[in-house]
Amino acid sequence: MKDDIYQHNGVDRDFRFDDKVADVFDDMLTRSVPCYQTVITMITSLLNRELAPGDTVYDLGSSTGNTLAELARNCVVPDLRFIGIDSSEAMISKALHKAEMFSLENRLTFRKGDIIDLEIADGGAIILNYTLQFIRPVLRDRFVKKLYASLRPGGILILSEKIISASPELNRAYIDFYLDFKRRNGYSETEIARKREALENVLIPFSIEENRELLSRAGFKTVETFFQWFNFSSMIAIKSS
């Protein structure tokens, strides 16, 4: 379905991952996240290189299951398990339907839950695609440290986020480029303004440097940016083996 949530309705509350968003989320991703498919392809390459047979891949904030479905179809490492966690019942329902549609029910598991309270162990990879930015900054240090402890030695964390620049001039330019991207994808000025207002108190981005420091404080020794499109970036962090 086409994302027209803010086409006809004003902003009466903060952005939420509710039933309305779940219904249009795939279209929203494609039209709102630059190079979304490219990033998933790059993550696939990283997992194929870094994972071991039998590893478990966790996608936290797995939404409608796009990422895990793509990884399950394209990762060549044998016997990988893919587990998605999301707090939205509507998102989990969409993900389960997608797994069935692609005949991936035996490889994909989706669970409803709050990722802040998640208890996992010996993960081969943890993916946070545009998820950490929705967690209150005061909680992020403890949360990422918990993820570090949940990975096996040599395990990896993938972090994709909207970011801010330390340079006010570049930050303004990056925002303008992003707004142009959304216009090219068919969003009106009204839709852009309304969604931005809805996200203002919900999505709180860090800079690349702040995210790097966050990962380093958690214990990761190897932290690298593997993709950036103006104010969107993806990083890999590797737990020492």
Side-chain angles (χ1 to χ4, degrees), residues 5-236:
I5 290 177
Y6 295 106
Q7 193 172 89
H8 309 293
N9 303 308
V11 180
D12 57 359
R13 58 182 173 82
D14 288 340
F15 184 86
R16 297 178 194 168
F17 293 98
D18 56 15
D19 289 10
K20 288 183 179 179
V21 170
D23 283 342
V24 302
F25 194 69
D26 289 353
D27 182 65
M28 184 184 291
L29 278 179
T30 302
R31 296 168 63 205
S32 300
V33 180
C35 307
Y36 174 75
Q37 188 60 47
T38 298
V39 170
I40 293 181
T41 300
M42 296 175 78
I43 291 172
T44 303
S45 297
L46 289 167
L47 297 189
N48 280 336
R49 187 176 183 89
E50 299 294 334
L51 293 187
D55 266 338
T56 301
V57 178
Y58 292 92
D59 184 13
L60 307 187
S62 52
S63 64
T64 64
N66 272 331
T67 298
L68 288 190
E70 287 288 317
L71 294 178
R73 287 188 293 174
N74 293 293
C75 283
V76 298
V77 181
D79 302 322
L80 295 180
R81 297 175 62 231
F82 299 92
I83 298 175
I85 314 290
D86 202 284
S87 61
S88 167
E89 188 71 54
M91 292 292 191
I92 293 293
S93 178
K94 296 281 184 184
L96 290 170
H97 175 71
K98 194 168 292 182
E100 182 179 352
M101 183 173 63
F102 290 122
S103 299
L104 293 170
E105 307 98 309
N106 295 330
R107 302 195 65 197
L108 301 180
T109 301
F110 293 98
R111 301 174 185 164
K112 183 178 182 295
D114 187 340
I115 62 173
I116 290 290
D117 300 322
L118 183 67
E119 296 293 340
I120 59 177
D122 292 324
I126 295 173
I127 298 171
L128 286 170
N129 272 355
Y130 318 106
T131 298
L132 190 63
Q133 60 200 20
F134 289 101
I135 294 176
R136 291 171 55 204
V138 69
L139 300 177
R140 292 183 194 180
D141 262 295
R142 181 170 61 88
F143 175 62
V144 176
K145 287 176 181 176
K146 188 175 181 180
L147 298 185
Y148 177 85
S150 300
L151 286 168
R152 64 161 172 79
I156 66 174
L157 186 148
I158 301 289
L159 175 66
S160 299
E161 291 276 273
K162 192 174 183 181
I163 58 169
I164 56 174
S165 171
S167 162
E169 181 180 352
L170 285 178
N171 199 56
R172 181 68 258 170
Y174 291 173
I175 291 172
D176 288 343
F177 297 153
Y178 179 51
L179 296 180
D180 285 341
F181 169 84
K182 298 189 79 170
R183 293 182 188 107
R184 289 195 300 272
N185 283 325
Y187 285 113
S188 68
E189 298 297 332
T190 299
E191 287 177 289
I192 291 171
R194 285 173 175 171
K195 186 173 182 182
R196 192 171 183 178
E197 181 182 348
L199 285 169
E200 187 174 10
N201 298 316
V202 179
L203 193 163
I204 303 173
F206 280 0
S207 66
I208 285 181
E209 291 75 16
E210 288 173 316
N211 280 327
R212 187 186 303 276
E213 291 170 2
L214 180 68
L215 293 165
S216 296
R217 287 196 300 272
F220 292 102
K221 304 302 181 186
T222 300
V223 180
E224 292 284 348
T225 300
F226 66 86
F227 172 85
Q228 183 174 352
W229 184 95
F230 299 120
N231 58 338
F232 284 78
S233 76
S234 296
M235 309 176 81
I236 180 172

